[in-house]
Amino acid sequence: MTRPNEVEARAEALVSRMTLPEKAAQMMQVPYSTVTREEALAWARLGAGSFLHVLGDDARELQAAALSTRLSIPLLFGIDAIHGHGLNENATIFPSQLAAACSFDRALVQAMGRATAREVATDGLHWTFSPVLCLGRDTRWGRIDETFGEDPYLAGEMGAAVIRGYQGDSLGADDSILACAKHYIGYGEAVGARDACDTEMTYRKLREVFLPPFEKAVRAGCATAMTAYGSIDSTPFTACEKVLRGILKEELGFDGILVTDWDNVQALVTRQFAAANIGEASRMAAEAGNDMVMTSLGFYEAAIALVEKGLLDERVIDDAVRRILRIKLRMGLFEKPEKKGVPGCFACEEHLSICEALARESVVLLKNNGALPLNDIKSVAVIGPNADDIRAQYGDWTYFSHPLPDPAREPKRPYATVLEGVRELADESGMRVSYAHGCGILDGSEAELEEAVLAAQNCDAVVLVLGDTLDQHGEGKDRADLALSSAQLTLFRRLRALKKPLAVVLVASKPLCAAEVAQGADALLCAFNGGMFGGRAVAEAVFGRLNPSGKLPISFPRHSGQLPVYYNYLPGWHGGKYMDLPETPLFAFGEGLSYTRYEYSNLTFDTKTFLAAVDVKNAGGMDGTETVQVYFRDLVSSILTPVKQLIAFERVFLKAGDTKRVAFSLCKDDFSLVTPDERRVTEPGDFVLMVGASSKDEDLLNVTFTL
Ligand code: NOJ
């Protein structure tokens, strides 16, 4: 890798040698999926800076063309390796971000990033458009599965961890790739969860709730960021100088590449009607601080014309190009345009074991009246639309879905659906397994329902796997109604009527509205898109081979009409209640049971050292891992502050009967708020520190203190 001073000097020297067209081309990121091979080669020869969605020999051909240009500036290849390098069928498919967040496990999420980087680099690529640091607060949004959930602290911790994994110790390493903090900013907060609509948000709120994960990403050295679609208070993000150049680059000191999202520049003309033509749009986007332009190919000529006519300061272009070259130099691409990666690492044992561990930690037990684990039975019926559907289990961003979909492709082993996992484990103990589909996620028939009832009647217990499907989530697939679709509820009712032990598993991209199921089932497991081993992990939990330790990174609504619902809401006049719903969510942020019982006691907090500590005892009969969560509330503040806010968490392993004292080193800033004039301050006064097993009051010990 090139040393910092040398990087700056070389970038500067190159910029000064480049012609205006060369610089404008360097700002282009060309979509290989929507141009012809000849057009792509022409762009490479023009000196384009980057391509996205190109793999293997096609990428090599483009790189050779780029290297044969006057200045031989290497290309950057970007890909959506969102939960693993999933567009490549040989890759390890990890749990989705939302599933991974259930682990609250920084180290394992970092390991997932590392493994993904190795596979992406081995494919000759340099850059993943990950992680998503948007918050998932209105779960009707189609991209909830891509988030780390609803909380800024958790999203920041998970985001920083995966970024460290992708980028490794040095960007120059053969197995390091660029991370991309996206979508900057507030994308998930679009009104009504309608994808890319306006975000009606104040800057105060932006800084308090939505900026912290991006701040952490920048501190973790994230080399790139992506501008969100949409707008903030009617200003398109793409044209929002305050957000892009001001907050991200100048305030946070982000010195990497800010790339637009797909066609953002053109969309200023065609979707947002904020610019009359591509020239105006290009000027707005460049001035606002976008360095690289994804797919809006008209930017190239427009930018040249703008500078030539004196409508755009060439220094704006220079700054963008300098940033792009800086990253290419840091990656050592001028010396070695193609990374070696780690030959043989695709779905290797080490990567699979990280994938498996994360799948196991992402299973969340939400209810259990003692039905689980299933023991001492001779037969089990596995039923439901998602019991044996690997596509639903994987979720978005694999070779089955977009952006290079091939839904008919045969899934690559190894993987295990819930049914396969149950069969494997049942075989070991000689248990009989019956299976019935029961109904589809999008359709159902009486015959299927009857077949399911019959299968269940002949077994000692039922595992019913419900959820959603690829057609119900992803970009542009927001849902107005999150109730269980098709005949899923009918299927549940018919099976419930049999009065057999009934465990329900939700294999879904997001929290669905399943209040009746939660109430009526004997046990409920949440398994968001768990990747290759998601089904096996559920089976292990069902039979008690695994003591569930996952915690919800996101609240479960009782009803779609309750959305958005999240734990860190501002106190309201009438308790935030609808007349026909309790004010609480169905399941709250941080919730997650296990087959053992944890007891919390002896909470202390020292305001001089900011050290908090609590005793946690495994008071049950099974070893387990608990995630201890720390929240605070500012009791009286100059503006409304959340009823509680997570500021720390730690996973702790406890053998049955063991007690550990768990300590947290906090600081004054942890108790801060953002003032209406956008300053972060900690106001003097009284606070409550809360420590416990979830965000629910009844799960928290508390201590009051004064600052
Ligand atoms: C659009 C999506 O919003 C973004 O997340 C993704 O990285 C790009 N397309 C490239 O596929």
Side-chain angles (χ1 to χ4, degrees):
M1 194 187 71
T2 321
R3 281 194 308 278
N5 289 343
E6 203 187 321
V7 164
E8 295 305 324
R10 281 179 70 182
E12 203 51 62
L14 252 178
V15 171
S16 69
R17 288 177 59 203
M18 290 169 83
T19 62
L20 178 59
E22 282 169 340
K23 288 189 278 195
Q26 195 55 218
M27 290 176 73
M28 301 305 303
Q29 183 175 63
V30 182
Y32 196 72
S33 46
T34 61
V35 296
T36 63
R37 174 172 163 265
E38 284 64 38
E39 284 165 344
L41 280 166
W43 276 105
R45 290 192 197 104
L46 217 54
S50 172
F51 279 80
L52 79 157
H53 299 163
V54 56
L55 302 166
D57 287 342
D58 296 336
R60 277 181 210 106
E61 186 182 34
L62 294 173
Q63 190 67 280
L67 295 176
S68 68
T69 57
R70 187 177 77 95
L71 296 170
S72 304
I73 301 176
L75 281 164
L76 272 179
F77 294 120
I79 193 89
D80 288 288
I82 302 298
H83 49 119
H85 184 27
L87 305 185
N88 181 318
E89 64 173 348
N90 298 312
T92 311
I93 311 279
F94 288 94
S96 67
Q97 273 197 205
L98 190 65
C102 298
S103 73
F104 281 63
D105 191 335
R106 299 172 180 92
L108 206 48
V109 167
Q110 179 166 341
M112 167 175 78
R114 200 80 283 280
T116 303
R118 287 196 199 112
E119 297 190 10
V120 170
T122 307
D123 232 359
L125 310 177
H126 312 111
W127 186 3
T128 176
F129 304 124
S130 168
V132 167
L133 299 179
C134 308
L135 301 183
R137 309 210 309 175
D138 189 330
T139 48
R140 292 172 296 177
W141 188 35
R143 303 186 70 173
I144 290 295
D145 56 304
E146 295 182 54
T147 73
F148 286 119
E150 72 190 36
D151 179 64
Y153 178 77
L154 177 63
E157 291 297 293
M158 296 288 107
V162 80
I163 288 165
R164 283 193 286 270
Y166 290 142
Q167 299 193 169
D169 294 334
S170 150
L171 285 181
D174 255 322
D175 59 354
S176 290
I177 59 170
L178 304 171
C180 182
K182 76 182 190 185
H183 310 77
Y184 181 71
I185 190 173
Y187 179 23
E189 201 69 0
V191 175
R194 289 186 282 269
D195 197 80
C197 281
D198 188 51
T199 298
E200 284 172 356
M201 191 199 290
T202 64
Y203 278 97
R204 195 206 70 75
K205 186 169 167 186
L206 175 138
R207 286 178 187 276
E208 185 168 277
V209 183
F210 299 95
L211 193 58
F214 288 94
E215 287 179 299
K216 271 192 192 148
V218 173
R219 279 207 298 275
C222 192
T224 81
M226 186 185 291
T227 307
Y229 300 141
S231 48
I232 174 164
D233 194 15
S234 304
T235 299
F237 285 114
T238 316
C240 192
E241 192 170 345
K242 170 163 175 163
V243 164
L244 307 186
R245 198 175 289 287
I247 297 178
L248 181 68
K249 292 183 169 179
E250 284 164 17
E251 274 183 43
L252 301 188
F254 171 73
D255 74 350
I257 302 171
L258 179 61
V259 63
T260 72
D261 200 348
W262 188 274
D263 221 16
N264 278 23
V265 178
Q266 185 66 38
L268 286 171
V269 182
T270 53
R271 293 174 191 259
Q272 294 176 309
F273 311 102
N277 51 51
I278 186 70
E280 220 172 283
S282 300
R283 183 186 53 72
M284 287 161 78
E287 283 180 347
N290 295 285
D291 303 312
M292 188 172 269
V293 174
M294 188 192 286
T295 71
S296 295
L297 299 179
F299 176 90
Y300 169 68
E301 283 182 1
I304 297 171
L306 285 166
V307 175
E308 282 172 349
K309 287 187 198 143
L311 297 173
L312 177 65
D313 190 334
E314 192 164 353
R315 284 176 299 184
V316 171
I317 303 276
D318 289 352
D319 176 56
V321 174
R322 198 177 291 119
R323 285 166 175 272
I324 294 164
L325 297 177
R326 189 186 278 151
I327 294 300
K328 291 182 174 181
L329 286 159
R330 281 186 194 153
M331 287 200 96
L333 296 186
F334 285 84
E335 289 70 36
K336 229 182 338 168
E338 182 170 344
K339 299 214 167 213
K340 259 212 326 275
V342 182
C345 75
F346 276 84
C348 65
E349 222 155 90
E350 186 192 344
H351 294 180
L352 292 180
S353 77
I354 295 165
C355 186
E356 183 169 22
L358 203 48
R360 299 176 102 232
E361 290 187 7
S362 71
V363 176
V364 188
L365 179 64
L366 290 173
K367 177 183 179 183
N368 190 13
N369 66 8
L372 289 184
L374 291 182
N375 284 320
D376 307 325
I377 54 168
K378 295 204 166 52
S379 58
V380 60
V382 178
I383 290 171
N386 278 357
D388 195 29
D389 183 343
I390 194 61
R391 289 166 178 80
Q393 184 174 310
Y394 279 1
D396 206 2
W397 296 109
T398 73
Y399 48 90
F400 296 137
S401 56
H402 83 298
L404 309 169
D406 188 358
R409 183 118 45 123
E410 269 308 299
K412 195 84 177 215
R413 298 282 174 182
Y415 68 80
T417 62
V418 175
L419 175 64
E420 290 170 337
V422 168
R423 276 198 177 130
E424 254 178 64
L425 297 181
D427 270 0
E428 289 171 20
S429 56
M431 195 187 292
R432 180 169 59 82
V433 180
S434 301
Y435 165 69
H437 188 235
C439 69
I441 298 273
L442 301 174
D443 47 29
S445 70
E446 184 55 34
E448 274 194 307
L449 288 167
E450 279 167 19
E451 187 198 347
V453 169
L454 211 66
Q457 262 166 349
N458 292 321
C459 288
D460 299 330
V462 182
V463 175
L464 172 62
V465 190
L466 306 173
D468 64 10
T469 166
L470 268 175
D471 294 325
Q472 290 172 317
H473 66 101
E475 189 177 331
K477 291 184 205 147
D478 314 315
R479 288 178 72 183
D481 184 1
L482 296 184
L484 291 167
S485 57
S486 164
Q488 293 188 81
L489 206 51
T490 311
L491 177 62
F492 167 76
R493 287 175 185 152
R494 298 261 186 106
L495 296 174
R496 178 67 296 180
L498 300 177
K499 299 201 160 48
K500 307 220 174 212
L502 173 59
V504 175
V505 183
L506 296 172
V507 171
S509 67
K510 59 171 68 171
L512 298 172
C513 298
E516 184 181 330
V517 169
Q519 220 224 325
D522 295 307
L524 182 64
L525 284 164
C526 163
F528 294 126
N529 307 114
M532 287 176 148
F533 300 105
R536 164 84 194 192
V538 166
E540 288 178 8
V542 163
F543 292 116
R545 302 273 192 103
L546 159 70
N547 189 0
S549 65
K551 299 276 189 176
L552 286 182
I554 194 163
S555 308
F556 266 67
R558 291 176 186 275
H559 187 278
S560 305
Q562 195 185 23
L563 291 166
V565 60
Y566 42 85
Y567 82 94
N568 49 356
Y569 61 90
L570 302 178
W573 202 267
H574 294 300
K577 199 173 179 162
Y578 292 101
M579 61 153 292
D580 47 2
L581 276 184
E583 67 270 33
T584 53
L586 183 60
F587 296 106
F589 177 85
E591 254 188 278
L593 305 168
S594 79
Y595 296 144
T596 188
R597 198 164 43 80
Y598 302 105
E599 285 174 4
Y600 286 72
S601 62
N602 197 15
L603 169 64
T604 58
F605 181 54
D606 182 335
T607 51
K608 287 199 192 69
T609 58
F610 283 94
L611 265 190
V614 71
D615 288 333
V616 186
K617 177 175 186 189
N618 182 343
M622 197 178 198
D623 299 351
T625 296
E626 168 73 326
T627 295
V628 183
Q629 302 160 42
V630 181
Y631 300 85
F632 89 103
R633 178 171 188 173
D634 191 340
L635 281 179
V636 182
S637 41
S638 60
I639 52 159
L640 299 191
T641 46
V643 296
K644 53 178 79 81
Q645 175 55 53
L646 184 74
I647 48 173
F649 61 81
E650 230 32 85
R651 289 168 54 83
V652 43
F653 173 75
L654 288 161
K655 285 197 160 306
D658 271 8
T659 302
K660 277 187 190 157
R661 187 142 185 85
V662 185
F664 297 91
S665 180
L666 305 171
C667 67
K668 195 172 158 201
D669 276 358
D670 289 334
F671 304 100
S672 62
L673 54 80
V674 175
T675 62
D677 60 354
E678 298 178 41
R679 283 176 304 114
R680 203 168 251 291
V681 297
T682 302
E683 294 185 339
D686 294 339
F687 296 79
V688 187
L689 193 80
M690 295 161 262
V691 180
S694 88
S695 68
K696 291 197 304 193
D697 285 337
E698 57 267 38
D699 285 339
L700 294 165
L701 297 178
N702 61 68
V703 44
T704 305
F705 63 95
T706 307
L707 287 182

